[in-house]
Every structure is written in C-alpha cells, then in structure tokens.
Amino acid sequence: MTADIAEIERAARLLEQGKLVALPTETVYGLGADASNPDAVAGIFAAKGRPSNHPVIVHVARDADLSRWTTHVPREARLLIDAFWPGPLTLILPRAPQVPAAVAGGQDTLGLRCPAHPVAQALLRAFRDGQGGLAAPSANRFGHVSPTTAQHVIDEFGEPGVGPVAAVLDGGHCQVGIESTIVDLSRLESHGPVLLRPGQVSAAQIAEVIGRMPAVPDGAAPRVSGSLDAHYAPTTPVALVDSGELASAMQRLQAAGQTFALISYSENFAAIHGMHLPADPDGYAHGLYASLREMDACHAAVILVERPPQHAAWQGINDRLRRAAFDSAGVLEKLLKG
Ligand code: TXA
Ligand code: MG
C-alpha cells in the first residue's frame, strides 16, 4: 500500500522532468512540482484551478540549506524549526531572489515547510539529490476539501498518468488531517509573529518556544487562500449546530421531509447513523476531511455538523469548519421553511 522506494525514485524523476506528483504529508496530501521550474509550478495552478496570485508552500528535506530559499532566517524561525521540524508548521520568510516569483504568487516572501511523513522525506531526498524544493499546495481543486488519502487525490484529479497528475504516492491516511499551522515571520520588526492559519501546532506552543504570542492577521497580512471565508467546502451545504440543538434540528428536518447527513462527536449521538468522530481534537482532525467527503457522497440536503468545543485546542478544526459552512449560511432555515 505505502509507496516503495522504486515508486519514490520514479516519482522523483517525473518531478525533475517538470511533471506533477501527489505526495502524502502528515497533514494532507500535496500536489507537488519542482519549485525551481516556473512551468511546472504553473501546472499546479492550472490543475487546481487556483488563481495565480495565491502563493504555494515550498517543502524541503530535513536539514536543507534554507539560504537557497530565503534571505534571512531570524532567531524566532530557528527556534521554531528546532522545535517543530519536521512537522506541521509552515514559516513565511523573505523570498530569496533566485526563487521563481510564481511560487510565491508574486509576493516577496515564501512559505517553507519540512514535512514529517516518511514518504515525503524519502521523496525529498531522492529529488535533486536532496537539495531541491517541492512546491505543493493541498492536492484538491480550488476551494474543495483537502485530501487525506491517495484515493481522495484520485477522486479530485482522476487516475495518475491520465489527468494532470503523473503519479500519486500512497502514504496511507494522513495522521494530522488538517493543514499545517502557518506563522508569518517576514515582518517581525513591524508586526511581530503573525498566525496566518491555525493548525495542530497551537499558538500557545509557538509562544512557549519564541516567548511571545503570535498575533492574528490584520489587513496588511499577506493573502492566504486557505483564509478565504469560503474554503475547504464540500458540495453539500454544511450547517454547524450546537450539541444541545442537534436533536431538535434532526427532528424538524425529518418532519419537513428533508434528508441530512451527520458528523458528531459527543456520546449522545454515537448511535445515530452518520460519522462519529473522536471527542479529542487530534482524533477529530484526523477524521474530519474523510468524514466531510463521505457525508458529501450521501447527497443529502445538508450535512449537520455538531459544533465542536470552542476551546483553544480546537482552533484549527473550528477554523476549517467555519469556512466549510460559510457559503451555507441560513441553509437550515431555508430547508425548514420547505
Ligand atoms: O499542510 C499543509 O500546509 C499542506 C501540505 C500539502 O503541506 N499544504 C497546504 O497548501 O495546505 P495550500 O496551498 O493548500 O495552502 C497553503 C497556504 C495558502 O493559503 C497560501 O496562501 C499560504 O499557505 N501561503 C503560501 N505561501 C505564502 C506566503 N508567501 N505568504 C502568505 N501565505 C502563504
Ligand atoms: Mg489548500
């Protein structure tokens, strides 16, 4: 099941030829291309249907020489790298002049991440003798739910070698399940560290390492496509419902003759048909995107999601759910009116 070394070597050669390869990371699957090849990077934007001004993260091997990618690694970045790499943390740093502007969506900064998944690390070692970088957004069409299995990637882009993706490396179900935490360290002097996207590495953990809490983004912060209000969304509308109101929402939908799918976590709903996720944030995040995809495939009128706790440990999850539900505001009222 998991890609073997021959498949990884073959994928590295395809990448060196400018082709697209989907790879597993510990967060979600990425759609990788050679970051030093502007045509290959353009292929990512075309395949995803992603606007060209949205920057892509560059993935590097463990102990990579960062001076190839950035002009300045501040002390805070060094501390965070020592604490969390390889792992689900992306750092925004000043872009080195030789890095194609297309990777950064034209910005003068660059997102850098060193993924922990063993298949991703093996691929990064095999690709350009371990000295290269892989530009890799999540391997989904723009705005869709990110993939957490190789099959999800195939569901998005078709069979490898047939559609835009030359190969899909299988690495099993992604352990973390939501995208990396992003911290902007490119404007430290004026803005301090800024949390652009919450993830499994929490703001509190970051503060513990660098001695200050990252700020939330202001209007001058770089644009993050994952921070668009509507994102990570299935085709079926999503409604977030408080635990205490879920039973009555289901009853009323049934009475109105409306179909629904359910994603819950608290014990009260464990016996009801639908997806029941673990009541701890790590377990919940691990299963979230696969559940959204599975419930989307039911073609119900709405996916009801039991609103998770509003505690800091659930910040990344609540952020993704809010965006998944953004375009569906008012859907329950509409369905209940008939
Ligand atoms: O966990 C992850 O980060 C996954 C895996 C594949 O590594 N990647 C991922 O990529 O989520 P993507 O492209 O779906 O989301 C990356 C986010 C985007 O919202 C992008 O705008 C932001 O990172 N980003 C990348 N470079 C940036 C930069 N220079 N400045 C600000 N934001 C940046
Ligand atoms: Mg994405």
Tab-separated table of all heavy atoms in Angstrom, residues 1 23-30 117 138-140 145-153 156 170-179 284-293:
chain	number	residue	atom	x	y	z
A	1	MET	N	0.822	-1.198	0.000
A	1	MET	CA	0.000	0.000	0.000
A	1	MET	C	0.862	1.256	0.000
A	1	MET	O	0.827	2.041	-0.938
A	1	MET	CB	-0.914	-0.008	1.226
A	1	MET	CG	-2.057	0.971	1.059
A	1	MET	SD	-3.119	1.113	2.467
A	1	MET	CE	-2.720	2.703	3.090
A	23	LEU	N	1.825	13.731	-3.262
A	23	LEU	CA	2.601	13.069	-2.208
A	23	LEU	C	1.877	13.160	-0.866
A	23	LEU	O	1.181	14.143	-0.594
A	23	LEU	CB	3.996	13.703	-2.088
A	23	LEU	CG	4.053	15.170	-1.664
A	23	LEU	CD1	5.226	15.416	-0.738
A	23	LEU	CD2	4.155	16.083	-2.881
A	24	PRO	N	2.039	12.138	-0.042
A	24	PRO	CA	1.450	12.217	1.293
A	24	PRO	C	2.302	13.095	2.200
A	24	PRO	O	3.532	13.099	2.087
A	24	PRO	CB	1.497	10.759	1.779
A	24	PRO	CG	2.680	10.173	1.081
A	24	PRO	CD	2.774	10.875	-0.253
A	25	THR	N	1.664	13.888	3.053
A	25	THR	CA	2.391	14.520	4.156
A	25	THR	C	1.614	14.154	5.418
A	25	THR	O	0.545	13.552	5.335
A	25	THR	CB	2.497	16.059	4.031
A	25	THR	OG1	1.279	16.649	4.515
A	25	THR	CG2	2.781	16.522	2.612
A	26	GLU	N	2.117	14.504	6.568
A	26	GLU	CA	1.409	14.162	7.804
A	26	GLU	C	0.125	14.976	7.983
A	26	GLU	O	-0.746	14.597	8.762
A	26	GLU	CB	2.343	14.339	9.020
A	26	GLU	CG	2.657	15.784	9.398
A	26	GLU	CD	3.760	16.378	8.539
A	26	GLU	OE1	3.963	15.933	7.390
A	26	GLU	OE2	4.421	17.318	9.020
A	27	THR	N	-0.009	16.102	7.217
A	27	THR	CA	-1.219	16.924	7.364
A	27	THR	C	-2.283	16.496	6.362
A	27	THR	O	-3.322	15.950	6.741
A	27	THR	CB	-0.896	18.410	7.153
A	27	THR	OG1	-0.295	18.586	5.864
A	27	THR	CG2	0.020	18.933	8.248
A	28	VAL	N	-2.024	16.756	5.070
A	28	VAL	CA	-2.923	16.383	3.972
A	28	VAL	C	-2.021	16.026	2.791
A	28	VAL	O	-0.813	16.273	2.827
A	28	VAL	CB	-3.881	17.545	3.589
A	28	VAL	CG1	-4.752	17.958	4.766
A	28	VAL	CG2	-3.115	18.755	3.041
A	29	TYR	N	-2.597	15.443	1.726
A	29	TYR	CA	-1.802	15.157	0.522
A	29	TYR	C	-1.509	16.458	-0.214
A	29	TYR	O	-2.362	17.357	-0.273
A	29	TYR	CB	-2.544	14.185	-0.407
A	29	TYR	CG	-2.351	12.733	-0.003
A	29	TYR	CD1	-2.962	12.242	1.142
A	29	TYR	CD2	-1.534	11.883	-0.745
A	29	TYR	CE1	-2.769	10.922	1.540
A	29	TYR	CE2	-1.335	10.557	-0.354
A	29	TYR	CZ	-1.953	10.082	0.782
A	29	TYR	OH	-1.744	8.789	1.171
A	30	GLY	N	-0.287	16.549	-0.776
A	30	GLY	CA	0.109	17.727	-1.532
A	30	GLY	C	0.206	17.399	-3.016
A	30	GLY	O	0.432	16.247	-3.397
A	117	HIS	N	6.164	13.272	7.149
A	117	HIS	CA	5.793	11.951	6.624
A	117	HIS	C	7.016	11.268	5.992
A	117	HIS	O	7.714	11.883	5.193
A	117	HIS	CB	4.684	12.102	5.588
A	117	HIS	CG	3.983	10.823	5.276
A	117	HIS	ND1	4.604	9.776	4.629
A	117	HIS	CD2	2.726	10.408	5.548
A	117	HIS	CE1	3.745	8.767	4.508
A	117	HIS	NE2	2.602	9.132	5.057
A	138	SER	N	-2.291	21.780	-1.171
A	138	SER	CA	-3.104	20.600	-0.946
A	138	SER	C	-3.620	20.088	-2.306
A	138	SER	O	-3.927	20.879	-3.194
A	138	SER	CB	-4.266	20.925	-0.013
A	138	SER	OG	-4.979	22.048	-0.489
A	139	ALA	N	-3.704	18.754	-2.441
A	139	ALA	CA	-3.990	18.146	-3.743
A	139	ALA	C	-5.492	18.040	-3.999
A	139	ALA	O	-6.038	16.949	-4.166
A	139	ALA	CB	-3.324	16.775	-3.830
A	140	ASN	N	-6.155	19.194	-4.011
A	140	ASN	CA	-7.589	19.250	-4.277
A	140	ASN	C	-7.842	20.408	-5.226
A	140	ASN	O	-7.003	21.303	-5.347
A	140	ASN	CB	-8.363	19.499	-2.974
A	140	ASN	CG	-7.820	20.705	-2.245
A	140	ASN	OD1	-6.852	20.599	-1.491
A	140	ASN	ND2	-8.402	21.878	-2.494
A	145	VAL	N	-12.523	20.360	-0.269
A	145	VAL	CA	-11.962	19.738	0.936
A	145	VAL	C	-10.593	19.131	0.587
A	145	VAL	O	-10.446	18.482	-0.451
A	145	VAL	CB	-12.923	18.632	1.428
A	145	VAL	CG1	-12.342	17.931	2.642
A	145	VAL	CG2	-14.295	19.216	1.732
A	146	SER	N	-9.601	19.310	1.454
A	146	SER	CA	-8.271	18.749	1.208
A	146	SER	C	-8.300	17.227	1.324
A	146	SER	O	-9.082	16.672	2.093
A	146	SER	CB	-7.270	19.317	2.220
A	146	SER	OG	-7.180	20.717	2.108
A	147	PRO	N	-7.427	16.538	0.561
A	147	PRO	CA	-7.403	15.071	0.571
A	147	PRO	C	-6.547	14.515	1.715
A	147	PRO	O	-5.461	15.018	1.977
A	147	PRO	CB	-6.760	14.725	-0.775
A	147	PRO	CG	-5.920	15.904	-1.114
A	147	PRO	CD	-6.500	17.107	-0.441
A	148	THR	N	-7.031	13.456	2.349
A	148	THR	CA	-6.236	12.810	3.402
A	148	THR	C	-5.939	11.340	3.081
A	148	THR	O	-5.369	10.637	3.911
A	148	THR	CB	-6.932	12.928	4.771
A	148	THR	OG1	-8.285	12.468	4.649
A	148	THR	CG2	-6.932	14.359	5.291
A	149	THR	N	-6.338	10.891	1.875
A	149	THR	CA	-5.914	9.565	1.394
A	149	THR	C	-5.542	9.705	-0.086
A	149	THR	O	-5.947	10.669	-0.752
A	149	THR	CB	-7.036	8.496	1.494
A	149	THR	OG1	-8.078	8.836	0.574
A	149	THR	CG2	-7.613	8.397	2.909
A	150	ALA	N	-4.801	8.695	-0.597
A	150	ALA	CA	-4.433	8.705	-2.015
A	150	ALA	C	-5.692	8.628	-2.889
A	150	ALA	O	-5.764	9.264	-3.943
A	150	ALA	CB	-3.496	7.538	-2.321
A	151	GLN	N	-6.697	7.874	-2.430
A	151	GLN	CA	-7.936	7.758	-3.200
A	151	GLN	C	-8.637	9.120	-3.332
A	151	GLN	O	-9.197	9.444	-4.380
A	151	GLN	CB	-8.881	6.727	-2.561
A	151	GLN	CG	-10.136	6.465	-3.380
A	151	GLN	CD	-9.826	5.953	-4.805
A	151	GLN	OE1	-9.021	5.035	-4.982
A	151	GLN	NE2	-10.448	6.568	-5.819
A	152	HIS	N	-8.591	9.938	-2.259
A	152	HIS	CA	-9.185	11.283	-2.350
A	152	HIS	C	-8.534	12.079	-3.482
A	152	HIS	O	-9.205	12.830	-4.183
A	152	HIS	CB	-8.970	12.071	-1.046
A	152	HIS	CG	-9.716	11.540	0.140
A	152	HIS	ND1	-9.405	11.926	1.426
A	152	HIS	CD2	-10.737	10.665	0.243
A	152	HIS	CE1	-10.218	11.313	2.274
A	152	HIS	NE2	-11.035	10.539	1.581
A	153	VAL	N	-7.197	11.939	-3.636
A	153	VAL	CA	-6.491	12.679	-4.692
A	153	VAL	C	-6.990	12.214	-6.060
A	153	VAL	O	-7.258	13.029	-6.950
A	153	VAL	CB	-4.960	12.470	-4.594
A	153	VAL	CG1	-4.257	13.223	-5.719
A	153	VAL	CG2	-4.426	12.914	-3.234
A	156	GLU	N	-10.223	13.619	-6.952
A	156	GLU	CA	-10.139	15.027	-7.379
A	156	GLU	C	-9.639	15.168	-8.817
A	156	GLU	O	-10.156	15.980	-9.578
A	156	GLU	CB	-9.197	15.811	-6.461
A	156	GLU	CG	-9.722	16.031	-5.045
A	156	GLU	CD	-10.755	17.158	-4.973
A	156	GLU	OE1	-10.622	18.163	-5.686
A	156	GLU	OE2	-11.713	17.009	-4.185
A	170	ASP	N	1.236	6.717	-2.459
A	170	ASP	CA	0.331	6.371	-1.355
A	170	ASP	C	1.120	6.373	-0.052
A	170	ASP	O	2.206	5.804	0.029
A	170	ASP	CB	-0.274	4.986	-1.621
A	170	ASP	CG	-1.516	4.736	-0.767
A	170	ASP	OD1	-1.673	5.398	0.287
A	170	ASP	OD2	-2.328	3.886	-1.158
A	171	GLY	N	0.578	7.038	0.945
A	171	GLY	CA	1.218	7.031	2.263
A	171	GLY	C	0.194	6.767	3.353
A	171	GLY	O	0.414	7.117	4.508
A	172	GLY	N	-0.933	6.149	2.968
A	172	GLY	CA	-1.965	5.861	3.968
A	172	GLY	C	-2.765	7.108	4.318
A	172	GLY	O	-2.691	8.130	3.628
A	173	HIS	N	-3.533	7.011	5.393
A	173	HIS	CA	-4.375	8.119	5.846
A	173	HIS	C	-3.499	9.119	6.631
A	173	HIS	O	-2.852	8.742	7.596
A	173	HIS	CB	-5.499	7.569	6.739
A	173	HIS	CG	-6.571	8.575	7.036
A	173	HIS	ND1	-7.904	8.252	7.107
A	173	HIS	CD2	-6.512	9.909	7.272
A	173	HIS	CE1	-8.612	9.340	7.380
A	173	HIS	NE2	-7.773	10.351	7.490
A	174	CYS	N	-3.502	10.388	6.200
A	174	CYS	CA	-2.652	11.410	6.855
A	174	CYS	C	-2.938	11.462	8.353
A	174	CYS	O	-4.103	11.556	8.762
A	174	CYS	CB	-2.907	12.779	6.253
A	174	CYS	SG	-2.565	12.865	4.494
A	175	GLN	N	-1.880	11.477	9.125
A	175	GLN	CA	-2.050	11.379	10.571
A	175	GLN	C	-2.713	12.611	11.185
A	175	GLN	O	-3.653	12.489	11.965
A	175	GLN	CB	-0.682	11.138	11.213
A	175	GLN	CG	-0.763	10.677	12.645
A	175	GLN	CD	0.440	11.148	13.433
A	175	GLN	OE1	1.547	11.228	12.893
A	175	GLN	NE2	0.235	11.483	14.691
A	176	VAL	N	-2.266	13.811	10.811
A	176	VAL	CA	-2.806	15.034	11.434
A	176	VAL	C	-4.202	15.343	10.875
A	176	VAL	O	-5.152	15.567	11.629
A	176	VAL	CB	-1.860	16.233	11.218
A	176	VAL	CG1	-2.477	17.520	11.754
A	176	VAL	CG2	-0.517	15.962	11.889
A	177	GLY	N	-4.331	15.392	9.569
A	177	GLY	CA	-5.652	15.501	8.953
A	177	GLY	C	-6.113	16.902	8.601
A	177	GLY	O	-7.050	17.067	7.832
A	178	ILE	N	-5.539	17.951	9.178
A	178	ILE	CA	-5.810	19.323	8.710
A	178	ILE	C	-4.465	19.977	8.373
A	178	ILE	O	-3.416	19.522	8.840
A	178	ILE	CB	-6.602	20.187	9.722
A	178	ILE	CG1	-5.858	20.308	11.054
A	178	ILE	CG2	-8.016	19.643	9.913
A	178	ILE	CD1	-6.467	21.315	12.020
A	179	GLU	N	-4.515	21.038	7.568
A	179	GLU	CA	-3.302	21.642	7.026
A	179	GLU	C	-2.424	22.240	8.129
A	179	GLU	O	-2.894	22.554	9.221
A	179	GLU	CB	-3.668	22.738	6.009
A	179	GLU	CG	-4.502	22.279	4.833
A	179	GLU	CD	-5.969	22.109	5.175
A	179	GLU	OE1	-6.359	22.336	6.340
A	179	GLU	OE2	-6.744	21.745	4.272
A	284	TYR	N	-10.204	13.979	16.209
A	284	TYR	CA	-11.254	14.611	15.389
A	284	TYR	C	-10.658	15.143	14.078
A	284	TYR	O	-11.189	14.891	13.000
A	284	TYR	CB	-11.903	15.735	16.188
A	284	TYR	CG	-13.134	16.331	15.539
A	284	TYR	CD1	-14.401	15.988	15.991
A	284	TYR	CD2	-13.037	17.242	14.493
A	284	TYR	CE1	-15.547	16.536	15.399
A	284	TYR	CE2	-14.157	17.785	13.899
A	284	TYR	CZ	-15.408	17.436	14.358
A	284	TYR	OH	-16.529	17.970	13.769
A	285	ALA	N	-9.536	15.868	14.184
A	285	ALA	CA	-8.898	16.431	12.983
A	285	ALA	C	-8.496	15.319	12.024
A	285	ALA	O	-8.666	15.438	10.805
A	285	ALA	CB	-7.669	17.265	13.371
A	286	HIS	N	-7.992	14.219	12.566
A	286	HIS	CA	-7.553	13.091	11.739
A	286	HIS	C	-8.697	12.600	10.839
A	286	HIS	O	-8.478	12.263	9.675
A	286	HIS	CB	-7.055	11.970	12.658
A	286	HIS	CG	-6.694	10.708	11.937
A	286	HIS	ND1	-5.525	10.581	11.215
A	286	HIS	CD2	-7.358	9.535	11.807
A	286	HIS	CE1	-5.490	9.374	10.684
A	286	HIS	NE2	-6.584	8.713	11.025
A	287	GLY	N	-9.901	12.564	11.375
A	287	GLY	CA	-11.022	12.009	10.613
A	287	GLY	C	-11.883	13.023	9.898
A	287	GLY	O	-12.764	12.642	9.110
A	288	LEU	N	-11.666	14.315	10.152
A	288	LEU	CA	-12.613	15.330	9.680
A	288	LEU	C	-12.833	15.350	8.163
A	288	LEU	O	-13.963	15.277	7.682
A	288	LEU	CB	-12.162	16.719	10.162
A	288	LEU	CG	-13.001	17.897	9.645
A	288	LEU	CD1	-14.451	17.769	10.085
A	288	LEU	CD2	-12.407	19.229	10.102
A	289	TYR	N	-11.746	15.480	7.384
A	289	TYR	CA	-11.934	15.657	5.937
A	289	TYR	C	-12.501	14.403	5.272
A	289	TYR	O	-13.321	14.506	4.355
A	289	TYR	CB	-10.629	16.095	5.276
A	289	TYR	CG	-10.237	17.532	5.563
A	289	TYR	CD1	-8.919	17.954	5.418
A	289	TYR	CD2	-11.183	18.469	5.960
A	289	TYR	CE1	-8.539	19.267	5.658
A	289	TYR	CE2	-10.821	19.785	6.206
A	289	TYR	CZ	-9.493	20.179	6.053
A	289	TYR	OH	-9.126	21.478	6.278
A	290	ALA	N	-12.056	13.226	5.727
A	290	ALA	CA	-12.619	11.985	5.158
A	290	ALA	C	-14.113	11.930	5.464
A	290	ALA	O	-14.926	11.510	4.625
A	290	ALA	CB	-11.890	10.769	5.715
A	291	SER	N	-14.518	12.375	6.664
A	291	SER	CA	-15.942	12.380	7.022
A	291	SER	C	-16.730	13.346	6.152
A	291	SER	O	-17.827	13.027	5.692
A	291	SER	CB	-16.121	12.791	8.483
A	291	SER	OG	-15.424	11.928	9.313
A	292	LEU	N	-16.178	14.537	5.925
A	292	LEU	CA	-16.873	15.508	5.075
A	292	LEU	C	-17.067	14.940	3.676
A	292	LEU	O	-18.145	15.060	3.074
A	292	LEU	CB	-16.088	16.830	5.006
A	292	LEU	CG	-16.220	17.765	6.213
A	292	LEU	CD1	-15.235	18.934	6.095
A	292	LEU	CD2	-17.651	18.306	6.350
A	293	ARG	N	-16.029	14.269	3.149
A	293	ARG	CA	-16.152	13.674	1.811
A	293	ARG	C	-17.188	12.560	1.800
A	293	ARG	O	-18.001	12.462	0.883
A	293	ARG	CB	-14.800	13.119	1.347
A	293	ARG	CG	-13.873	14.195	0.846
A	293	ARG	CD	-12.488	13.649	0.527
A	293	ARG	NE	-11.631	14.733	0.109
A	293	ARG	CZ	-11.475	15.120	-1.159
A	293	ARG	NH1	-12.085	14.472	-2.133
A	293	ARG	NH2	-10.709	16.149	-1.456
